[in-house]
């Protein structure tokens, strides 16, 4: 497993349910096409699984 994950918000959260909006903001993503590097652990993987339809994930 990689040490970090690079995540990019690829779809808008306008039509998303409130729980998914909060998850995206907790991952450090705000505007469309914003990118953030997060640690690769079980908690982060669970958050990404919840919003996999909104983000793109790359291992660093």
């Amino acid at each position: 497993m990689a040490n970090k994950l690079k995540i990019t918000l690829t779809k808008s959260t306008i039509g998303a349910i409130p729980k998914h909006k909060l998850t995206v903001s907790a991952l450090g993503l705000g505007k469309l096409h914003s990118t953030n590097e997060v640690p690769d652990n079980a908690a982060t993987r669970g958050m990404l699984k919840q919003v996999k339809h909104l983000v793109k994930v790359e291992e660093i």
Side-chain angles (χ1 to χ4, degrees):
M1 290 175 76
N3 291 336
K4 290 196 172 225
L5 297 172
K6 181 180 177 182
I7 54 173
T8 305
L9 186 62
T10 57
K11 291 196 175 183
S12 175
T13 58
I14 290 175
I17 61 174
K19 186 176 181 181
H20 291 179
K21 289 181 185 182
L22 292 173
T23 303
V24 167
S25 65
L27 288 169
L29 303 172
K31 295 184 177 183
L32 200 58
H33 302 293
S34 62
T35 303
N36 194 16
E37 291 183 9
V38 293
D40 186 9
N41 55 32
T44 305
R45 290 278 182 168
M47 294 169 78
L48 291 172
K49 186 176 179 182
Q50 190 177 40
V51 294
K52 64 185 173 189
H53 59 287
L54 300 175
V55 298
K56 181 176 82 170
V57 181
E58 300 173 24
E59 292 183 355
I60 298 178

